[in-house]
Amino acid sequence: MHNALNYGTLNLPFRGPIEEIRNLSKGRTNNSSLIRAEGALWVIRRGSPHARHFGIDRTQEEIVLQSAANARIAPRVAFCSVEHEILITEFIDGV
């Protein structure tokens, strides 16, 4: 998964290599993985081409996720690219 895109060109919350990656789910509109990089845990979500068929608006989704994070009811959004369909949030254990 992480080899399909040159992550070095993106402004990710980590610069070092991905030390561990574990698939969390493979849904109809997203592929989510738990990653460890630079000793921290992150959840990375890659969108799938099928999302458009369900009418998902990633730009609106980003606004909602940022608002929820600012209200402290969702994990902090560390990186979001609508263009690349990538979302990286802090991992919160037990959620």
Side-chain angles (χ1 to χ4, degrees), residues 3-83:
N3 294 327
L5 178 68
N6 181 359
Y7 286 99
T9 63
L10 303 176
N11 188 25
L12 301 179
F14 49 85
R15 289 286 169 219
I18 295 174
E19 301 155 6
E20 176 185 353
I21 186 165
R22 180 174 34 141
N23 288 333
L24 296 176
S25 67
K26 187 166 182 150
R28 291 183 180 185
T29 60
N30 302 308
N31 296 313
S32 299
S33 300
L34 178 66
I35 62 174
R36 180 182 307 277
E38 298 178 350
L41 291 173
W42 308 91
V43 175
I44 184 169
R45 188 198 72 197
R46 295 287 310 267
S48 82
H50 304 295
R52 291 178 187 89
H53 299 294
F54 293 101
I56 294 173
D57 181 340
R58 297 293 189 191
T59 301
Q60 183 64 32
E61 180 184 42
E62 179 183 11
I63 293 167
V64 169
L65 290 172
Q66 290 285 8
S67 295
N70 290 341
R72 297 182 182 190
I73 58 173
R76 180 178 71 87
V77 175
F79 177 81
C80 186
S81 171
V82 173
E83 176 187 357

